[in-house]
């Protein structure tokens, strides 16, 4: 089921590349002791970019992650947080993050619960073989937890720049 902008983003509880467990509410909340307006320059316009990708350290996924990395200063200036999600295990995420110096969190979804909730766990085919996997997709989520954009079947090249424009 494809998600549409205007509805609440599905919650999840996944392990981050630093070993902590996080849910959507925690990610969208300001750090303890800070009021929402202290979190970013203008938190009323801040957003979360949650992007789903098929596999760590593959050509397209690396290109996409590195574009988000290279634009991190622009995302920070806009008060937009980036988080990547794939079914890869924690150790794979840590290796991928360290190898490419990724400054954002990667979440492990080995049981593809979040992927299913966001409608990105789909049947795919390659060389005549069908299998289930992640459809590269990105979601812009407002500070209130409402979907601002739902982008399915995205291409890695140039994606980080176009998403920043949608998130600000």
């Amino acid at each position: 089921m494809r998600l549409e902008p205007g509805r609440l983003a599905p919650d999840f509880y996944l392990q981050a590349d630093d070993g902590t467990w996080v849910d959507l509410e925690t990610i969208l909340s300001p750090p303890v002791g800070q009021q929402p307006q202290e979190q970013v320059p203008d938190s009323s316009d801040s957003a979360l970019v949650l992007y789903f990708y098929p596999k760590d350290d593959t050509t397209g996924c690396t290109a996409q992650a590195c574009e988000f990395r290279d634009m991190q200063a622009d995302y920070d200036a806009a008060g937009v947080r980036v988080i990547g999600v794939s079914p890869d295990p924690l150790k794979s995420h840590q290796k991928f993050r360290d190898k490419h110096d990724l400054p954002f969190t990667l979440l492990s979804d080995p049981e593809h619960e979040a992927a299913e909730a966001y409608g990105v766990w789909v049947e795919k085919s390659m060389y005549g073989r069908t299998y289930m996997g992640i459809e590269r997709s990105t979601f812009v989520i407002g500070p209130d937890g409402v979907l601002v954009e739902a982008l399915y079947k995205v291409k890695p090249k140039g994606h980080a720049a176009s998403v920043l424009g949608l998130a600000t």
Side-chain angles (χ1 to χ4, degrees), residues 51 53 59-72 82 96 100-104 106 136 156 160:
Y51 81 96
Y53 65 98
T59 305
C61 297
T62 299
Q64 184 179 25
C66 289
E67 280 194 8
F68 278 118
R69 176 202 64 204
D70 294 347
M71 294 193 67
Q72 187 65 48
V82 174
F96 183 52
H100 298 287
D101 197 26
L102 302 178
F104 49 84
L106 300 176
R136 189 181 313 278

PDB file of all heavy atoms in Angstrom, residues 51 53 59-72 82 96 100-104 106 136 156 160:
ATOM      1  N   TYR A  51      14.829   7.815   4.237  1.00  0.00           N
ATOM      2  CA  TYR A  51      14.971   7.179   2.934  1.00  0.00           C
ATOM      3  C   TYR A  51      15.277   5.697   3.089  1.00  0.00           C
ATOM      4  O   TYR A  51      16.049   5.289   3.929  1.00  0.00           O
ATOM      5  CB  TYR A  51      15.987   7.916   2.052  1.00  0.00           C
ATOM      6  CG  TYR A  51      17.446   7.620   2.286  1.00  0.00           C
ATOM      7  CD1 TYR A  51      18.112   6.671   1.503  1.00  0.00           C
ATOM      8  CD2 TYR A  51      18.178   8.307   3.246  1.00  0.00           C
ATOM      9  CE1 TYR A  51      19.463   6.415   1.694  1.00  0.00           C
ATOM     10  CE2 TYR A  51      19.521   8.061   3.439  1.00  0.00           C
ATOM     11  CZ  TYR A  51      20.158   7.108   2.659  1.00  0.00           C
ATOM     12  OH  TYR A  51      21.493   6.849   2.852  1.00  0.00           O
ATOM     13  N   TYR A  53      16.588   2.234   1.307  1.00  0.00           N
ATOM     14  CA  TYR A  53      17.467   1.802   0.232  1.00  0.00           C
ATOM     15  C   TYR A  53      17.695   0.299   0.336  1.00  0.00           C
ATOM     16  O   TYR A  53      17.621  -0.276   1.421  1.00  0.00           O
ATOM     17  CB  TYR A  53      18.789   2.587   0.263  1.00  0.00           C
ATOM     18  CG  TYR A  53      19.638   2.354   1.492  1.00  0.00           C
ATOM     19  CD1 TYR A  53      20.696   1.456   1.473  1.00  0.00           C
ATOM     20  CD2 TYR A  53      19.370   3.025   2.686  1.00  0.00           C
ATOM     21  CE1 TYR A  53      21.471   1.237   2.615  1.00  0.00           C
ATOM     22  CE2 TYR A  53      20.140   2.813   3.813  1.00  0.00           C
ATOM     23  CZ  TYR A  53      21.191   1.919   3.773  1.00  0.00           C
ATOM     24  OH  TYR A  53      21.946   1.698   4.893  1.00  0.00           O
ATOM     25  N   THR A  59      26.399  -0.061  -5.584  1.00  0.00           N
ATOM     26  CA  THR A  59      26.669   1.130  -6.386  1.00  0.00           C
ATOM     27  C   THR A  59      25.625   2.237  -6.192  1.00  0.00           C
ATOM     28  O   THR A  59      25.965   3.370  -5.847  1.00  0.00           O
ATOM     29  CB  THR A  59      26.770   0.755  -7.876  1.00  0.00           C
ATOM     30  OG1 THR A  59      27.764  -0.260  -8.017  1.00  0.00           O
ATOM     31  CG2 THR A  59      27.154   1.942  -8.723  1.00  0.00           C
ATOM     32  N   GLY A  60      24.360   1.930  -6.423  1.00  0.00           N
ATOM     33  CA  GLY A  60      23.315   2.950  -6.318  1.00  0.00           C
ATOM     34  C   GLY A  60      23.119   3.451  -4.897  1.00  0.00           C
ATOM     35  O   GLY A  60      22.944   4.647  -4.664  1.00  0.00           O
ATOM     36  N   CYS A  61      23.175   2.533  -3.947  1.00  0.00           N
ATOM     37  CA  CYS A  61      22.952   2.909  -2.544  1.00  0.00           C
ATOM     38  C   CYS A  61      24.104   3.763  -2.019  1.00  0.00           C
ATOM     39  O   CYS A  61      23.885   4.695  -1.248  1.00  0.00           O
ATOM     40  CB  CYS A  61      22.759   1.664  -1.691  1.00  0.00           C
ATOM     41  SG  CYS A  61      21.283   0.729  -2.177  1.00  0.00           S
ATOM     42  N   THR A  62      25.314   3.439  -2.447  1.00  0.00           N
ATOM     43  CA  THR A  62      26.468   4.241  -2.042  1.00  0.00           C
ATOM     44  C   THR A  62      26.382   5.636  -2.655  1.00  0.00           C
ATOM     45  O   THR A  62      26.614   6.634  -1.966  1.00  0.00           O
ATOM     46  CB  THR A  62      27.786   3.545  -2.447  1.00  0.00           C
ATOM     47  OG1 THR A  62      27.844   2.283  -1.785  1.00  0.00           O
ATOM     48  CG2 THR A  62      28.993   4.378  -2.085  1.00  0.00           C
ATOM     49  N   ALA A  63      26.021   5.714  -3.932  1.00  0.00           N
ATOM     50  CA  ALA A  63      25.885   7.024  -4.586  1.00  0.00           C
ATOM     51  C   ALA A  63      24.836   7.875  -3.876  1.00  0.00           C
ATOM     52  O   ALA A  63      25.059   9.061  -3.608  1.00  0.00           O
ATOM     53  CB  ALA A  63      25.513   6.835  -6.052  1.00  0.00           C
ATOM     54  N   GLN A  64      23.706   7.273  -3.523  1.00  0.00           N
ATOM     55  CA  GLN A  64      22.641   8.001  -2.846  1.00  0.00           C
ATOM     56  C   GLN A  64      23.097   8.481  -1.472  1.00  0.00           C
ATOM     57  O   GLN A  64      22.922   9.652  -1.118  1.00  0.00           O
ATOM     58  CB  GLN A  64      21.405   7.109  -2.717  1.00  0.00           C
ATOM     59  CG  GLN A  64      20.219   7.808  -2.112  1.00  0.00           C
ATOM     60  CD  GLN A  64      19.001   6.899  -2.032  1.00  0.00           C
ATOM     61  OE1 GLN A  64      19.116   5.677  -1.982  1.00  0.00           O
ATOM     62  NE2 GLN A  64      17.827   7.506  -2.035  1.00  0.00           N
ATOM     63  N   ALA A  65      23.697   7.591  -0.692  1.00  0.00           N
ATOM     64  CA  ALA A  65      24.162   7.954   0.654  1.00  0.00           C
ATOM     65  C   ALA A  65      25.218   9.050   0.593  1.00  0.00           C
ATOM     66  O   ALA A  65      25.199   9.986   1.401  1.00  0.00           O
ATOM     67  CB  ALA A  65      24.700   6.723   1.375  1.00  0.00           C
ATOM     68  N   CYS A  66      26.124   8.945  -0.368  1.00  0.00           N
ATOM     69  CA  CYS A  66      27.193   9.943  -0.473  1.00  0.00           C
ATOM     70  C   CYS A  66      26.654  11.301  -0.924  1.00  0.00           C
ATOM     71  O   CYS A  66      27.186  12.338  -0.531  1.00  0.00           O
ATOM     72  CB  CYS A  66      28.309   9.440  -1.379  1.00  0.00           C
ATOM     73  SG  CYS A  66      29.273   8.104  -0.609  1.00  0.00           S
ATOM     74  N   GLU A  67      25.598  11.323  -1.725  1.00  0.00           N
ATOM     75  CA  GLU A  67      24.977  12.604  -2.086  1.00  0.00           C
ATOM     76  C   GLU A  67      24.362  13.250  -0.851  1.00  0.00           C
ATOM     77  O   GLU A  67      24.507  14.455  -0.642  1.00  0.00           O
ATOM     78  CB  GLU A  67      23.919  12.417  -3.172  1.00  0.00           C
ATOM     79  CG  GLU A  67      24.508  12.299  -4.551  1.00  0.00           C
ATOM     80  CD  GLU A  67      23.471  12.461  -5.659  1.00  0.00           C
ATOM     81  OE1 GLU A  67      22.299  12.809  -5.375  1.00  0.00           O
ATOM     82  OE2 GLU A  67      23.846  12.235  -6.817  1.00  0.00           O
ATOM     83  N   PHE A  68      23.673  12.452  -0.011  1.00  0.00           N
ATOM     84  CA  PHE A  68      23.129  13.004   1.236  1.00  0.00           C
ATOM     85  C   PHE A  68      24.273  13.496   2.118  1.00  0.00           C
ATOM     86  O   PHE A  68      24.187  14.568   2.716  1.00  0.00           O
ATOM     87  CB  PHE A  68      22.279  11.972   1.982  1.00  0.00           C
ATOM     88  CG  PHE A  68      20.870  11.856   1.469  1.00  0.00           C
ATOM     89  CD1 PHE A  68      20.411  10.669   0.929  1.00  0.00           C
ATOM     90  CD2 PHE A  68      19.987  12.928   1.546  1.00  0.00           C
ATOM     91  CE1 PHE A  68      19.104  10.556   0.470  1.00  0.00           C
ATOM     92  CE2 PHE A  68      18.678  12.820   1.089  1.00  0.00           C
ATOM     93  CZ  PHE A  68      18.238  11.629   0.544  1.00  0.00           C
ATOM     94  N   ARG A  69      25.364  12.735   2.196  1.00  0.00           N
ATOM     95  CA  ARG A  69      26.533  13.138   2.987  1.00  0.00           C
ATOM     96  C   ARG A  69      27.087  14.456   2.479  1.00  0.00           C
ATOM     97  O   ARG A  69      27.362  15.375   3.259  1.00  0.00           O
ATOM     98  CB  ARG A  69      27.618  12.054   2.909  1.00  0.00           C
ATOM     99  CG  ARG A  69      28.915  12.427   3.612  1.00  0.00           C
ATOM    100  CD  ARG A  69      30.102  11.650   3.098  1.00  0.00           C
ATOM    101  NE  ARG A  69      30.352  11.959   1.693  1.00  0.00           N
ATOM    102  CZ  ARG A  69      30.983  11.139   0.859  1.00  0.00           C
ATOM    103  NH1 ARG A  69      31.427   9.963   1.259  1.00  0.00           N
ATOM    104  NH2 ARG A  69      31.184  11.499  -0.394  1.00  0.00           N
ATOM    105  N   ASP A  70      27.264  14.578   1.179  1.00  0.00           N
ATOM    106  CA  ASP A  70      27.870  15.773   0.599  1.00  0.00           C
ATOM    107  C   ASP A  70      26.989  17.015   0.765  1.00  0.00           C
ATOM    108  O   ASP A  70      27.481  18.137   0.700  1.00  0.00           O
ATOM    109  CB  ASP A  70      28.185  15.537  -0.877  1.00  0.00           C
ATOM    110  CG  ASP A  70      29.259  14.475  -1.081  1.00  0.00           C
ATOM    111  OD1 ASP A  70      29.947  14.095  -0.098  1.00  0.00           O
ATOM    112  OD2 ASP A  70      29.390  13.984  -2.232  1.00  0.00           O
ATOM    113  N   MET A  71      25.705  16.803   0.992  1.00  0.00           N
ATOM    114  CA  MET A  71      24.785  17.928   1.182  1.00  0.00           C
ATOM    115  C   MET A  71      24.404  18.110   2.649  1.00  0.00           C
ATOM    116  O   MET A  71      23.493  18.886   2.960  1.00  0.00           O
ATOM    117  CB  MET A  71      23.525  17.722   0.340  1.00  0.00           C
ATOM    118  CG  MET A  71      23.799  17.768  -1.156  1.00  0.00           C
ATOM    119  SD  MET A  71      22.274  17.903  -2.092  1.00  0.00           S
ATOM    120  CE  MET A  71      21.719  19.532  -1.607  1.00  0.00           C
ATOM    121  N   GLN A  72      25.107  17.434   3.549  1.00  0.00           N
ATOM    122  CA  GLN A  72      24.738  17.477   4.968  1.00  0.00           C
ATOM    123  C   GLN A  72      24.705  18.902   5.518  1.00  0.00           C
ATOM    124  O   GLN A  72      23.813  19.256   6.276  1.00  0.00           O
ATOM    125  CB  GLN A  72      25.682  16.612   5.798  1.00  0.00           C
ATOM    126  CG  GLN A  72      25.265  16.473   7.248  1.00  0.00           C
ATOM    127  CD  GLN A  72      23.951  15.723   7.417  1.00  0.00           C
ATOM    128  OE1 GLN A  72      23.766  14.670   6.826  1.00  0.00           O
ATOM    129  NE2 GLN A  72      23.040  16.256   8.219  1.00  0.00           N
ATOM    130  N   VAL A  82      18.367  13.680   8.226  1.00  0.00           N
ATOM    131  CA  VAL A  82      18.343  12.585   7.253  1.00  0.00           C
ATOM    132  C   VAL A  82      18.590  11.275   7.994  1.00  0.00           C
ATOM    133  O   VAL A  82      19.507  11.178   8.814  1.00  0.00           O
ATOM    134  CB  VAL A  82      19.435  12.780   6.169  1.00  0.00           C
ATOM    135  CG1 VAL A  82      19.504  11.573   5.244  1.00  0.00           C
ATOM    136  CG2 VAL A  82      19.197  14.055   5.383  1.00  0.00           C
ATOM    137  N   PHE A  96      29.458   0.352   6.518  1.00  0.00           N
ATOM    138  CA  PHE A  96      29.056   1.258   5.436  1.00  0.00           C
ATOM    139  C   PHE A  96      29.207   2.711   5.872  1.00  0.00           C
ATOM    140  O   PHE A  96      29.786   3.540   5.151  1.00  0.00           O
ATOM    141  CB  PHE A  96      27.602   0.936   5.059  1.00  0.00           C
ATOM    142  CG  PHE A  96      27.033   1.715   3.908  1.00  0.00           C
ATOM    143  CD1 PHE A  96      27.680   1.802   2.685  1.00  0.00           C
ATOM    144  CD2 PHE A  96      25.789   2.330   4.028  1.00  0.00           C
ATOM    145  CE1 PHE A  96      27.114   2.501   1.614  1.00  0.00           C
ATOM    146  CE2 PHE A  96      25.214   3.023   2.966  1.00  0.00           C
ATOM    147  CZ  PHE A  96      25.886   3.107   1.769  1.00  0.00           C
ATOM    148  N   HIS A 100      32.262   5.261   4.277  1.00  0.00           N
ATOM    149  CA  HIS A 100      31.894   6.422   3.458  1.00  0.00           C
ATOM    150  C   HIS A 100      31.706   7.687   4.285  1.00  0.00           C
ATOM    151  O   HIS A 100      31.219   8.694   3.768  1.00  0.00           O
ATOM    152  CB  HIS A 100      30.642   6.104   2.642  1.00  0.00           C
ATOM    153  CG  HIS A 100      30.856   4.965   1.696  1.00  0.00           C
ATOM    154  ND1 HIS A 100      31.608   5.081   0.550  1.00  0.00           N
ATOM    155  CD2 HIS A 100      30.453   3.672   1.764  1.00  0.00           C
ATOM    156  CE1 HIS A 100      31.649   3.917  -0.063  1.00  0.00           C
ATOM    157  NE2 HIS A 100      30.954   3.046   0.648  1.00  0.00           N
ATOM    158  N   ASP A 101      32.090   7.645   5.552  1.00  0.00           N
ATOM    159  CA  ASP A 101      32.026   8.806   6.446  1.00  0.00           C
ATOM    160  C   ASP A 101      30.633   9.448   6.423  1.00  0.00           C
ATOM    161  O   ASP A 101      30.496  10.653   6.245  1.00  0.00           O
ATOM    162  CB  ASP A 101      33.111   9.816   6.052  1.00  0.00           C
ATOM    163  CG  ASP A 101      33.387  10.818   7.158  1.00  0.00           C
ATOM    164  OD1 ASP A 101      33.163  10.487   8.338  1.00  0.00           O
ATOM    165  OD2 ASP A 101      33.805  11.951   6.831  1.00  0.00           O
ATOM    166  N   LEU A 102      29.625   8.624   6.632  1.00  0.00           N
ATOM    167  CA  LEU A 102      28.253   9.109   6.594  1.00  0.00           C
ATOM    168  C   LEU A 102      27.910   9.782   7.921  1.00  0.00           C
ATOM    169  O   LEU A 102      28.042   9.158   8.974  1.00  0.00           O
ATOM    170  CB  LEU A 102      27.280   7.952   6.311  1.00  0.00           C
ATOM    171  CG  LEU A 102      27.538   7.191   5.015  1.00  0.00           C
ATOM    172  CD1 LEU A 102      26.553   6.037   4.870  1.00  0.00           C
ATOM    173  CD2 LEU A 102      27.478   8.116   3.806  1.00  0.00           C
ATOM    174  N   PRO A 103      27.451  11.027   7.896  1.00  0.00           N
ATOM    175  CA  PRO A 103      27.187  11.772   9.130  1.00  0.00           C
ATOM    176  C   PRO A 103      25.771  11.596   9.683  1.00  0.00           C
ATOM    177  O   PRO A 103      25.398  12.246  10.649  1.00  0.00           O
ATOM    178  CB  PRO A 103      27.410  13.217   8.694  1.00  0.00           C
ATOM    179  CG  PRO A 103      26.958  13.228   7.266  1.00  0.00           C
ATOM    180  CD  PRO A 103      27.360  11.877   6.714  1.00  0.00           C
ATOM    181  N   PHE A 104      24.975  10.743   9.067  1.00  0.00           N
ATOM    182  CA  PHE A 104      23.589  10.564   9.496  1.00  0.00           C
ATOM    183  C   PHE A 104      23.361   9.123   9.946  1.00  0.00           C
ATOM    184  O   PHE A 104      24.154   8.229   9.675  1.00  0.00           O
ATOM    185  CB  PHE A 104      22.604  10.963   8.387  1.00  0.00           C
ATOM    186  CG  PHE A 104      22.918  10.359   7.048  1.00  0.00           C
ATOM    187  CD1 PHE A 104      22.493   9.081   6.730  1.00  0.00           C
ATOM    188  CD2 PHE A 104      23.654  11.071   6.115  1.00  0.00           C
ATOM    189  CE1 PHE A 104      22.798   8.514   5.502  1.00  0.00           C
ATOM    190  CE2 PHE A 104      23.967  10.520   4.882  1.00  0.00           C
ATOM    191  CZ  PHE A 104      23.538   9.234   4.576  1.00  0.00           C
ATOM    192  N   LEU A 106      21.801   5.408  10.285  1.00  0.00           N
ATOM    193  CA  LEU A 106      21.264   4.321   9.465  1.00  0.00           C
ATOM    194  C   LEU A 106      20.511   3.379  10.397  1.00  0.00           C
ATOM    195  O   LEU A 106      21.029   3.002  11.452  1.00  0.00           O
ATOM    196  CB  LEU A 106      22.388   3.563   8.756  1.00  0.00           C
ATOM    197  CG  LEU A 106      23.266   4.377   7.815  1.00  0.00           C
ATOM    198  CD1 LEU A 106      24.398   3.510   7.266  1.00  0.00           C
ATOM    199  CD2 LEU A 106      22.449   4.961   6.673  1.00  0.00           C
ATOM    200  N   ARG A 136      13.539   1.534  -3.647  1.00  0.00           N
ATOM    201  CA  ARG A 136      14.180   2.779  -3.207  1.00  0.00           C
ATOM    202  C   ARG A 136      13.135   3.901  -3.144  1.00  0.00           C
ATOM    203  O   ARG A 136      12.518   4.247  -4.152  1.00  0.00           O
ATOM    204  CB  ARG A 136      15.294   3.155  -4.184  1.00  0.00           C
ATOM    205  CG  ARG A 136      16.164   4.301  -3.735  1.00  0.00           C
ATOM    206  CD  ARG A 136      17.225   4.636  -4.767  1.00  0.00           C
ATOM    207  NE  ARG A 136      17.933   3.499  -5.296  1.00  0.00           N
ATOM    208  CZ  ARG A 136      18.969   2.892  -4.703  1.00  0.00           C
ATOM    209  NH1 ARG A 136      19.405   3.349  -3.556  1.00  0.00           N
ATOM    210  NH2 ARG A 136      19.549   1.867  -5.272  1.00  0.00           N
ATOM    211  N   PRO A 156      18.910   7.293  -7.560  1.00  0.00           N
ATOM    212  CA  PRO A 156      19.904   7.840  -6.621  1.00  0.00           C
ATOM    213  C   PRO A 156      20.514   9.171  -7.064  1.00  0.00           C
ATOM    214  O   PRO A 156      20.681  10.071  -6.260  1.00  0.00           O
ATOM    215  CB  PRO A 156      20.989   6.762  -6.552  1.00  0.00           C
ATOM    216  CG  PRO A 156      20.404   5.537  -7.133  1.00  0.00           C
ATOM    217  CD  PRO A 156      19.287   5.973  -8.044  1.00  0.00           C
ATOM    218  N   ALA A 160      19.282  13.677  -3.524  1.00  0.00           N
ATOM    219  CA  ALA A 160      19.459  14.450  -2.281  1.00  0.00           C
ATOM    220  C   ALA A 160      19.112  15.924  -2.486  1.00  0.00           C
ATOM    221  O   ALA A 160      18.469  16.545  -1.643  1.00  0.00           O
ATOM    222  CB  ALA A 160      20.883  14.304  -1.756  1.00  0.00           C
TER     223      ALA A 160
END
